[in-house]
Amino acid sequence: MSVAPKGLSIQSLYRDYRDGSLVINRQYQRKLVWTVAEKQKLIESVLLNYPIPLILLAEKKVDGKGVIEVIDGMQRLNAIFSFIEHALLFLESALISTSLRVLAKPKKRDFLTSLVQALSDLQQLFVQIS
């Protein structure tokens, strides 16, 4: 077995998720337990360019087809994919969340700039997927 780190874009992981190539092994993955608030915190961290833990994946064959199995990071991926699919609900709630209310004005401006960029990226992502 060889281990080689490689970066994958959110777009490519989301595409794999949508076409069924990203698989979850329920034998060792726990159920989805994050609350909406926890998902929002992760999305805020991403938008504010804070580091988040790595997501561990493994390439394998299932029924002769190459798939990517999620080893660690299912909750984080679910939060990110939920954001992509339901962005407006997340954004509305995130904008009134406690953590944003306490941000200083420059940080709020940075966050909103990141938010606009994220929405632009989402628009490009949907164009690529279509």
Side-chain angles (χ1 to χ4, degrees):
M1 174 197 302
S2 77
V3 176
K6 76 176 173 181
L8 294 172
S9 69
I10 294 294
Q11 290 91 343
S12 70
L13 281 175
Y14 184 70
R15 196 172 17 259
D16 290 337
Y17 163 74
R18 297 283 294 177
D19 73 16
S21 299
L22 189 66
V23 297
I24 307 296
N25 187 332
R26 293 293 178 188
Q27 291 179 335
Y28 58 85
Q29 287 287 346
R30 64 185 178 150
K31 293 179 182 176
L32 295 172
V33 296
W34 279 19
T35 64
V36 171
E38 290 168 317
K39 291 178 181 183
Q40 289 170 346
K41 296 292 184 189
L42 178 75
I43 297 305
E44 287 176 26
S45 294
V46 170
L47 293 174
L48 291 168
N49 290 321
Y50 295 157
I52 63 169
L54 293 176
I55 295 170
L56 301 176
L57 307 166
E59 294 176 329
K60 63 186 272 185
K61 296 270 186 200
V62 173
D63 299 326
K65 177 185 170 196
V67 297
I68 299 171
E69 184 174 334
V70 178
I71 304 300
D72 183 53
M74 182 179 74
Q75 304 288 328
R76 283 164 277 161
L77 285 173
N78 178 263
I80 292 167
F81 296 160
S82 293
F83 174 73
I84 290 170
E85 294 178 346
H86 309 287
L88 294 178
L89 296 175
F90 274 95
L91 296 176
E92 180 183 330
S93 298
L95 288 172
I96 59 171
S97 73
T98 304
S99 62
L100 286 177
R101 275 190 249 140
V102 299
L103 285 178
K105 275 190 177 182
K107 278 287 189 188
K108 282 183 185 176
R109 188 172 34 254
D110 291 346
F111 174 78
L112 291 173
T113 301
S114 296
L115 198 54
V116 169
Q117 181 60 49
L119 288 172
S120 173
D121 291 346
L122 279 175
Q123 183 180 18
Q124 291 174 4
L125 172 61
F126 288 127
V127 169
Q128 290 174 1
I129 291 172
S130 304

PDB file of all heavy atoms in Angstrom, residues 36-69:
ATOM      1  N   VAL A  36     -26.920  22.010  12.325  1.00  0.00           N
ATOM      2  CA  VAL A  36     -26.806  23.083  11.331  1.00  0.00           C
ATOM      3  C   VAL A  36     -25.799  24.127  11.817  1.00  0.00           C
ATOM      4  O   VAL A  36     -24.979  24.623  11.047  1.00  0.00           O
ATOM      5  CB  VAL A  36     -28.183  23.718  11.039  1.00  0.00           C
ATOM      6  CG1 VAL A  36     -28.049  24.964  10.179  1.00  0.00           C
ATOM      7  CG2 VAL A  36     -29.092  22.704  10.362  1.00  0.00           C
ATOM      8  N   ALA A  37     -25.832  24.430  13.112  1.00  0.00           N
ATOM      9  CA  ALA A  37     -24.900  25.427  13.666  1.00  0.00           C
ATOM     10  C   ALA A  37     -23.446  24.981  13.490  1.00  0.00           C
ATOM     11  O   ALA A  37     -22.575  25.800  13.157  1.00  0.00           O
ATOM     12  CB  ALA A  37     -25.209  25.672  15.141  1.00  0.00           C
ATOM     13  N   GLU A  38     -23.176  23.697  13.706  1.00  0.00           N
ATOM     14  CA  GLU A  38     -21.809  23.195  13.529  1.00  0.00           C
ATOM     15  C   GLU A  38     -21.381  23.269  12.065  1.00  0.00           C
ATOM     16  O   GLU A  38     -20.241  23.621  11.756  1.00  0.00           O
ATOM     17  CB  GLU A  38     -21.700  21.758  14.054  1.00  0.00           C
ATOM     18  CG  GLU A  38     -21.806  21.668  15.563  1.00  0.00           C
ATOM     19  CD  GLU A  38     -21.979  20.259  16.073  1.00  0.00           C
ATOM     20  OE1 GLU A  38     -22.771  19.491  15.480  1.00  0.00           O
ATOM     21  OE2 GLU A  38     -21.320  19.918  17.077  1.00  0.00           O
ATOM     22  N   LYS A  39     -22.310  22.958  11.167  1.00  0.00           N
ATOM     23  CA  LYS A  39     -22.008  23.072   9.740  1.00  0.00           C
ATOM     24  C   LYS A  39     -21.714  24.523   9.372  1.00  0.00           C
ATOM     25  O   LYS A  39     -20.785  24.809   8.617  1.00  0.00           O
ATOM     26  CB  LYS A  39     -23.172  22.547   8.893  1.00  0.00           C
ATOM     27  CG  LYS A  39     -23.370  21.047   8.988  1.00  0.00           C
ATOM     28  CD  LYS A  39     -24.575  20.640   8.155  1.00  0.00           C
ATOM     29  CE  LYS A  39     -24.829  19.155   8.240  1.00  0.00           C
ATOM     30  NZ  LYS A  39     -25.955  18.749   7.364  1.00  0.00           N
ATOM     31  N   GLN A  40     -22.502  25.440   9.914  1.00  0.00           N
ATOM     32  CA  GLN A  40     -22.297  26.857   9.634  1.00  0.00           C
ATOM     33  C   GLN A  40     -20.918  27.311  10.103  1.00  0.00           C
ATOM     34  O   GLN A  40     -20.249  28.085   9.418  1.00  0.00           O
ATOM     35  CB  GLN A  40     -23.378  27.698  10.315  1.00  0.00           C
ATOM     36  CG  GLN A  40     -24.738  27.545   9.684  1.00  0.00           C
ATOM     37  CD  GLN A  40     -25.839  28.187  10.506  1.00  0.00           C
ATOM     38  OE1 GLN A  40     -25.646  28.535  11.667  1.00  0.00           O
ATOM     39  NE2 GLN A  40     -27.001  28.321   9.902  1.00  0.00           N
ATOM     40  N   LYS A  41     -20.501  26.826  11.263  1.00  0.00           N
ATOM     41  CA  LYS A  41     -19.179  27.199  11.790  1.00  0.00           C
ATOM     42  C   LYS A  41     -18.075  26.733  10.843  1.00  0.00           C
ATOM     43  O   LYS A  41     -17.106  27.460  10.612  1.00  0.00           O
ATOM     44  CB  LYS A  41     -18.957  26.610  13.189  1.00  0.00           C
ATOM     45  CG  LYS A  41     -19.882  27.131  14.240  1.00  0.00           C
ATOM     46  CD  LYS A  41     -19.628  28.583  14.541  1.00  0.00           C
ATOM     47  CE  LYS A  41     -20.519  29.040  15.667  1.00  0.00           C
ATOM     48  NZ  LYS A  41     -20.473  30.469  15.851  1.00  0.00           N
ATOM     49  N   LEU A  42     -18.202  25.531  10.303  1.00  0.00           N
ATOM     50  CA  LEU A  42     -17.196  25.048   9.355  1.00  0.00           C
ATOM     51  C   LEU A  42     -17.180  25.925   8.108  1.00  0.00           C
ATOM     52  O   LEU A  42     -16.108  26.333   7.647  1.00  0.00           O
ATOM     53  CB  LEU A  42     -17.445  23.587   8.965  1.00  0.00           C
ATOM     54  CG  LEU A  42     -16.443  23.064   7.937  1.00  0.00           C
ATOM     55  CD1 LEU A  42     -15.095  22.788   8.591  1.00  0.00           C
ATOM     56  CD2 LEU A  42     -16.956  21.838   7.233  1.00  0.00           C
ATOM     57  N   ILE A  43     -18.346  26.233   7.577  1.00  0.00           N
ATOM     58  CA  ILE A  43     -18.422  27.066   6.376  1.00  0.00           C
ATOM     59  C   ILE A  43     -17.847  28.448   6.662  1.00  0.00           C
ATOM     60  O   ILE A  43     -17.104  29.001   5.845  1.00  0.00           O
ATOM     61  CB  ILE A  43     -19.876  27.148   5.851  1.00  0.00           C
ATOM     62  CG1 ILE A  43     -20.381  25.767   5.436  1.00  0.00           C
ATOM     63  CG2 ILE A  43     -19.974  28.142   4.692  1.00  0.00           C
ATOM     64  CD1 ILE A  43     -19.532  25.024   4.428  1.00  0.00           C
ATOM     65  N   GLU A  44     -18.148  29.015   7.815  1.00  0.00           N
ATOM     66  CA  GLU A  44     -17.561  30.299   8.189  1.00  0.00           C
ATOM     67  C   GLU A  44     -16.044  30.202   8.221  1.00  0.00           C
ATOM     68  O   GLU A  44     -15.350  31.093   7.723  1.00  0.00           O
ATOM     69  CB  GLU A  44     -18.077  30.748   9.558  1.00  0.00           C
ATOM     70  CG  GLU A  44     -19.508  31.220   9.546  1.00  0.00           C
ATOM     71  CD  GLU A  44     -20.026  31.578  10.933  1.00  0.00           C
ATOM     72  OE1 GLU A  44     -19.202  31.926  11.814  1.00  0.00           O
ATOM     73  OE2 GLU A  44     -21.241  31.516  11.133  1.00  0.00           O
ATOM     74  N   SER A  45     -15.521  29.110   8.786  1.00  0.00           N
ATOM     75  CA  SER A  45     -14.063  28.920   8.840  1.00  0.00           C
ATOM     76  C   SER A  45     -13.471  28.880   7.446  1.00  0.00           C
ATOM     77  O   SER A  45     -12.431  29.487   7.179  1.00  0.00           O
ATOM     78  CB  SER A  45     -13.718  27.625   9.587  1.00  0.00           C
ATOM     79  OG  SER A  45     -14.085  27.732  10.934  1.00  0.00           O
ATOM     80  N   VAL A  46     -14.131  28.163   6.539  1.00  0.00           N
ATOM     81  CA  VAL A  46     -13.646  28.071   5.162  1.00  0.00           C
ATOM     82  C   VAL A  46     -13.663  29.454   4.511  1.00  0.00           C
ATOM     83  O   VAL A  46     -12.689  29.889   3.898  1.00  0.00           O
ATOM     84  CB  VAL A  46     -14.490  27.066   4.343  1.00  0.00           C
ATOM     85  CG1 VAL A  46     -14.149  27.144   2.865  1.00  0.00           C
ATOM     86  CG2 VAL A  46     -14.286  25.653   4.871  1.00  0.00           C
ATOM     87  N   LEU A  47     -14.782  30.173   4.668  1.00  0.00           N
ATOM     88  CA  LEU A  47     -14.917  31.479   4.034  1.00  0.00           C
ATOM     89  C   LEU A  47     -13.960  32.518   4.622  1.00  0.00           C
ATOM     90  O   LEU A  47     -13.552  33.444   3.927  1.00  0.00           O
ATOM     91  CB  LEU A  47     -16.358  31.978   4.137  1.00  0.00           C
ATOM     92  CG  LEU A  47     -17.387  31.179   3.336  1.00  0.00           C
ATOM     93  CD1 LEU A  47     -18.790  31.676   3.622  1.00  0.00           C
ATOM     94  CD2 LEU A  47     -17.086  31.248   1.848  1.00  0.00           C
ATOM     95  N   LEU A  48     -13.604  32.347   5.884  1.00  0.00           N
ATOM     96  CA  LEU A  48     -12.667  33.265   6.521  1.00  0.00           C
ATOM     97  C   LEU A  48     -11.212  32.807   6.353  1.00  0.00           C
ATOM     98  O   LEU A  48     -10.305  33.377   6.942  1.00  0.00           O
ATOM     99  CB  LEU A  48     -13.007  33.417   8.011  1.00  0.00           C
ATOM    100  CG  LEU A  48     -14.306  34.160   8.297  1.00  0.00           C
ATOM    101  CD1 LEU A  48     -14.707  34.016   9.760  1.00  0.00           C
ATOM    102  CD2 LEU A  48     -14.186  35.626   7.913  1.00  0.00           C
ATOM    103  N   ASN A  49     -11.014  31.762   5.544  1.00  0.00           N
ATOM    104  CA  ASN A  49      -9.684  31.207   5.260  1.00  0.00           C
ATOM    105  C   ASN A  49      -8.975  30.671   6.496  1.00  0.00           C
ATOM    106  O   ASN A  49      -7.752  30.715   6.598  1.00  0.00           O
ATOM    107  CB  ASN A  49      -8.792  32.237   4.551  1.00  0.00           C
ATOM    108  CG  ASN A  49      -9.264  32.495   3.150  1.00  0.00           C
ATOM    109  OD1 ASN A  49      -9.678  31.587   2.446  1.00  0.00           O
ATOM    110  ND2 ASN A  49      -9.231  33.744   2.746  1.00  0.00           N
ATOM    111  N   TYR A  50      -9.742  30.170   7.456  1.00  0.00           N
ATOM    112  CA  TYR A  50      -9.146  29.496   8.605  1.00  0.00           C
ATOM    113  C   TYR A  50      -8.831  28.058   8.198  1.00  0.00           C
ATOM    114  O   TYR A  50      -9.564  27.465   7.401  1.00  0.00           O
ATOM    115  CB  TYR A  50     -10.104  29.478   9.798  1.00  0.00           C
ATOM    116  CG  TYR A  50     -10.425  30.838  10.384  1.00  0.00           C
ATOM    117  CD1 TYR A  50     -11.581  31.027  11.118  1.00  0.00           C
ATOM    118  CD2 TYR A  50      -9.589  31.938  10.206  1.00  0.00           C
ATOM    119  CE1 TYR A  50     -11.893  32.265  11.668  1.00  0.00           C
ATOM    120  CE2 TYR A  50      -9.895  33.175  10.750  1.00  0.00           C
ATOM    121  CZ  TYR A  50     -11.041  33.329  11.480  1.00  0.00           C
ATOM    122  OH  TYR A  50     -11.358  34.540  12.014  1.00  0.00           O
ATOM    123  N   PRO A  51      -7.765  27.485   8.745  1.00  0.00           N
ATOM    124  CA  PRO A  51      -7.468  26.090   8.388  1.00  0.00           C
ATOM    125  C   PRO A  51      -8.519  25.147   8.977  1.00  0.00           C
ATOM    126  O   PRO A  51      -9.045  25.382  10.059  1.00  0.00           O
ATOM    127  CB  PRO A  51      -6.095  25.846   9.022  1.00  0.00           C
ATOM    128  CG  PRO A  51      -5.950  26.891  10.069  1.00  0.00           C
ATOM    129  CD  PRO A  51      -6.794  28.064   9.662  1.00  0.00           C
ATOM    130  N   ILE A  52      -8.816  24.101   8.222  1.00  0.00           N
ATOM    131  CA  ILE A  52      -9.714  23.050   8.715  1.00  0.00           C
ATOM    132  C   ILE A  52      -8.951  21.732   8.634  1.00  0.00           C
ATOM    133  O   ILE A  52      -7.981  21.619   7.876  1.00  0.00           O
ATOM    134  CB  ILE A  52     -11.035  22.982   7.925  1.00  0.00           C
ATOM    135  CG1 ILE A  52     -10.791  22.617   6.459  1.00  0.00           C
ATOM    136  CG2 ILE A  52     -11.805  24.288   8.036  1.00  0.00           C
ATOM    137  CD1 ILE A  52     -12.053  22.281   5.699  1.00  0.00           C
ATOM    138  N   PRO A  53      -9.353  20.739   9.410  1.00  0.00           N
ATOM    139  CA  PRO A  53      -8.645  19.453   9.376  1.00  0.00           C
ATOM    140  C   PRO A  53      -8.686  18.814   7.985  1.00  0.00           C
ATOM    141  O   PRO A  53      -9.619  19.054   7.207  1.00  0.00           O
ATOM    142  CB  PRO A  53      -9.408  18.586  10.383  1.00  0.00           C
ATOM    143  CG  PRO A  53     -10.115  19.560  11.268  1.00  0.00           C
ATOM    144  CD  PRO A  53     -10.420  20.751  10.410  1.00  0.00           C
ATOM    145  N   LEU A  54      -7.679  18.002   7.702  1.00  0.00           N
ATOM    146  CA  LEU A  54      -7.617  17.295   6.431  1.00  0.00           C
ATOM    147  C   LEU A  54      -8.776  16.317   6.299  1.00  0.00           C
ATOM    148  O   LEU A  54      -9.295  15.811   7.285  1.00  0.00           O
ATOM    149  CB  LEU A  54      -6.313  16.513   6.315  1.00  0.00           C
ATOM    150  CG  LEU A  54      -5.033  17.334   6.227  1.00  0.00           C
ATOM    151  CD1 LEU A  54      -3.825  16.408   6.227  1.00  0.00           C
ATOM    152  CD2 LEU A  54      -5.031  18.200   4.984  1.00  0.00           C
ATOM    153  N   ILE A  55      -9.134  16.040   5.072  1.00  0.00           N
ATOM    154  CA  ILE A  55     -10.129  15.019   4.751  1.00  0.00           C
ATOM    155  C   ILE A  55      -9.353  13.863   4.134  1.00  0.00           C
ATOM    156  O   ILE A  55      -8.601  14.063   3.177  1.00  0.00           O
ATOM    157  CB  ILE A  55     -11.190  15.575   3.786  1.00  0.00           C
ATOM    158  CG1 ILE A  55     -11.975  16.686   4.499  1.00  0.00           C
ATOM    159  CG2 ILE A  55     -12.110  14.477   3.281  1.00  0.00           C
ATOM    160  CD1 ILE A  55     -12.888  17.483   3.608  1.00  0.00           C
ATOM    161  N   LEU A  56      -9.488  12.689   4.724  1.00  0.00           N
ATOM    162  CA  LEU A  56      -8.731  11.527   4.251  1.00  0.00           C
ATOM    163  C   LEU A  56      -9.597  10.666   3.338  1.00  0.00           C
ATOM    164  O   LEU A  56     -10.714  10.287   3.701  1.00  0.00           O
ATOM    165  CB  LEU A  56      -8.236  10.695   5.433  1.00  0.00           C
ATOM    166  CG  LEU A  56      -7.332  11.429   6.423  1.00  0.00           C
ATOM    167  CD1 LEU A  56      -6.987  10.525   7.593  1.00  0.00           C
ATOM    168  CD2 LEU A  56      -6.074  11.916   5.742  1.00  0.00           C
ATOM    169  N   LEU A  57      -9.053  10.357   2.169  1.00  0.00           N
ATOM    170  CA  LEU A  57      -9.763   9.584   1.155  1.00  0.00           C
ATOM    171  C   LEU A  57      -8.885   8.434   0.684  1.00  0.00           C
ATOM    172  O   LEU A  57      -7.664   8.507   0.780  1.00  0.00           O
ATOM    173  CB  LEU A  57     -10.104  10.480  -0.043  1.00  0.00           C
ATOM    174  CG  LEU A  57     -10.838  11.781   0.269  1.00  0.00           C
ATOM    175  CD1 LEU A  57     -10.818  12.710  -0.927  1.00  0.00           C
ATOM    176  CD2 LEU A  57     -12.260  11.497   0.702  1.00  0.00           C
ATOM    177  N   ALA A  58      -9.500   7.393   0.154  1.00  0.00           N
ATOM    178  CA  ALA A  58      -8.757   6.264  -0.405  1.00  0.00           C
ATOM    179  C   ALA A  58      -9.357   5.899  -1.760  1.00  0.00           C
ATOM    180  O   ALA A  58     -10.578   5.836  -1.908  1.00  0.00           O
ATOM    181  CB  ALA A  58      -8.832   5.059   0.532  1.00  0.00           C
ATOM    182  N   GLU A  59      -8.485   5.686  -2.730  1.00  0.00           N
ATOM    183  CA  GLU A  59      -8.952   5.221  -4.038  1.00  0.00           C
ATOM    184  C   GLU A  59      -9.041   3.709  -3.989  1.00  0.00           C
ATOM    185  O   GLU A  59      -8.134   3.043  -3.479  1.00  0.00           O
ATOM    186  CB  GLU A  59      -7.982   5.662  -5.130  1.00  0.00           C
ATOM    187  CG  GLU A  59      -7.934   7.158  -5.320  1.00  0.00           C
ATOM    188  CD  GLU A  59      -6.897   7.586  -6.347  1.00  0.00           C
ATOM    189  OE1 GLU A  59      -5.862   6.895  -6.486  1.00  0.00           O
ATOM    190  OE2 GLU A  59      -7.120   8.622  -6.997  1.00  0.00           O
ATOM    191  N   LYS A  60     -10.148   3.149  -4.495  1.00  0.00           N
ATOM    192  CA  LYS A  60     -10.296   1.699  -4.519  1.00  0.00           C
ATOM    193  C   LYS A  60     -11.241   1.300  -5.642  1.00  0.00           C
ATOM    194  O   LYS A  60     -11.860   2.148  -6.271  1.00  0.00           O
ATOM    195  CB  LYS A  60     -10.763   1.169  -3.158  1.00  0.00           C
ATOM    196  CG  LYS A  60     -12.133   1.663  -2.728  1.00  0.00           C
ATOM    197  CD  LYS A  60     -12.491   1.232  -1.321  1.00  0.00           C
ATOM    198  CE  LYS A  60     -13.161  -0.101  -1.308  1.00  0.00           C
ATOM    199  NZ  LYS A  60     -13.649  -0.541  -0.021  1.00  0.00           N
ATOM    200  N   LYS A  61     -11.340   0.015  -5.881  1.00  0.00           N
ATOM    201  CA  LYS A  61     -12.243  -0.529  -6.901  1.00  0.00           C
ATOM    202  C   LYS A  61     -13.434  -1.174  -6.203  1.00  0.00           C
ATOM    203  O   LYS A  61     -13.281  -1.929  -5.256  1.00  0.00           O
ATOM    204  CB  LYS A  61     -11.530  -1.584  -7.750  1.00  0.00           C
ATOM    205  CG  LYS A  61     -10.374  -1.048  -8.562  1.00  0.00           C
ATOM    206  CD  LYS A  61     -10.846  -0.610  -9.901  1.00  0.00           C
ATOM    207  CE  LYS A  61      -9.639  -0.211 -10.747  1.00  0.00           C
ATOM    208  NZ  LYS A  61      -9.990   0.623 -11.836  1.00  0.00           N
ATOM    209  N   VAL A  62     -14.619  -0.861  -6.709  1.00  0.00           N
ATOM    210  CA  VAL A  62     -15.855  -1.493  -6.244  1.00  0.00           C
ATOM    211  C   VAL A  62     -16.597  -1.941  -7.493  1.00  0.00           C
ATOM    212  O   VAL A  62     -16.936  -1.124  -8.347  1.00  0.00           O
ATOM    213  CB  VAL A  62     -16.718  -0.518  -5.415  1.00  0.00           C
ATOM    214  CG1 VAL A  62     -18.064  -1.123  -5.086  1.00  0.00           C
ATOM    215  CG2 VAL A  62     -15.997  -0.099  -4.144  1.00  0.00           C
ATOM    216  N   ASP A  63     -16.793  -3.254  -7.601  1.00  0.00           N
ATOM    217  CA  ASP A  63     -17.436  -3.824  -8.788  1.00  0.00           C
ATOM    218  C   ASP A  63     -16.723  -3.403 -10.069  1.00  0.00           C
ATOM    219  O   ASP A  63     -17.347  -3.091 -11.085  1.00  0.00           O
ATOM    220  CB  ASP A  63     -18.921  -3.427  -8.854  1.00  0.00           C
ATOM    221  CG  ASP A  63     -19.709  -3.929  -7.650  1.00  0.00           C
ATOM    222  OD1 ASP A  63     -19.387  -5.024  -7.144  1.00  0.00           O
ATOM    223  OD2 ASP A  63     -20.655  -3.236  -7.226  1.00  0.00           O
ATOM    224  N   GLY A  64     -15.380  -3.376 -10.001  1.00  0.00           N
ATOM    225  CA  GLY A  64     -14.567  -3.035 -11.164  1.00  0.00           C
ATOM    226  C   GLY A  64     -14.521  -1.556 -11.504  1.00  0.00           C
ATOM    227  O   GLY A  64     -13.872  -1.146 -12.453  1.00  0.00           O
ATOM    228  N   LYS A  65     -15.206  -0.741 -10.707  1.00  0.00           N
ATOM    229  CA  LYS A  65     -15.245   0.703 -10.959  1.00  0.00           C
ATOM    230  C   LYS A  65     -14.390   1.428  -9.925  1.00  0.00           C
ATOM    231  O   LYS A  65     -14.452   1.136  -8.737  1.00  0.00           O
ATOM    232  CB  LYS A  65     -16.694   1.187 -10.871  1.00  0.00           C
ATOM    233  CG  LYS A  65     -16.875   2.672 -11.042  1.00  0.00           C
ATOM    234  CD  LYS A  65     -18.333   3.070 -10.812  1.00  0.00           C
ATOM    235  CE  LYS A  65     -18.440   4.584 -10.745  1.00  0.00           C
ATOM    236  NZ  LYS A  65     -19.693   5.031 -10.178  1.00  0.00           N
ATOM    237  N   GLY A  66     -13.585   2.390 -10.384  1.00  0.00           N
ATOM    238  CA  GLY A  66     -12.771   3.183  -9.467  1.00  0.00           C
ATOM    239  C   GLY A  66     -13.640   4.150  -8.681  1.00  0.00           C
ATOM    240  O   GLY A  66     -14.456   4.871  -9.255  1.00  0.00           O
ATOM    241  N   VAL A  67     -13.498   4.119  -7.364  1.00  0.00           N
ATOM    242  CA  VAL A  67     -14.246   5.021  -6.494  1.00  0.00           C
ATOM    243  C   VAL A  67     -13.295   5.649  -5.479  1.00  0.00           C
ATOM    244  O   VAL A  67     -12.167   5.200  -5.311  1.00  0.00           O
ATOM    245  CB  VAL A  67     -15.410   4.305  -5.751  1.00  0.00           C
ATOM    246  CG1 VAL A  67     -16.447   3.769  -6.718  1.00  0.00           C
ATOM    247  CG2 VAL A  67     -14.880   3.213  -4.845  1.00  0.00           C
ATOM    248  N   ILE A  68     -13.781   6.679  -4.816  1.00  0.00           N
ATOM    249  CA  ILE A  68     -13.034   7.321  -3.746  1.00  0.00           C
ATOM    250  C   ILE A  68     -13.823   7.090  -2.466  1.00  0.00           C
ATOM    251  O   ILE A  68     -14.989   7.490  -2.359  1.00  0.00           O
ATOM    252  CB  ILE A  68     -12.868   8.828  -4.010  1.00  0.00           C
ATOM    253  CG1 ILE A  68     -12.090   9.050  -5.312  1.00  0.00           C
ATOM    254  CG2 ILE A  68     -12.164   9.503  -2.844  1.00  0.00           C
ATOM    255  CD1 ILE A  68     -12.061  10.483  -5.774  1.00  0.00           C
ATOM    256  N   GLU A  69     -13.182   6.436  -1.496  1.00  0.00           N
ATOM    257  CA  GLU A  69     -13.849   6.149  -0.228  1.00  0.00           C
ATOM    258  C   GLU A  69     -13.427   7.177   0.816  1.00  0.00           C
ATOM    259  O   GLU A  69     -12.254   7.495   0.954  1.00  0.00           O
ATOM    260  CB  GLU A  69     -13.488   4.747   0.256  1.00  0.00           C
ATOM    261  CG  GLU A  69     -14.220   4.352   1.508  1.00  0.00           C
ATOM    262  CD  GLU A  69     -13.975   2.902   1.898  1.00  0.00           C
ATOM    263  OE1 GLU A  69     -13.677   2.078   1.019  1.00  0.00           O
ATOM    264  OE2 GLU A  69     -14.086   2.605   3.094  1.00  0.00           O
TER     265      GLU A  69
END
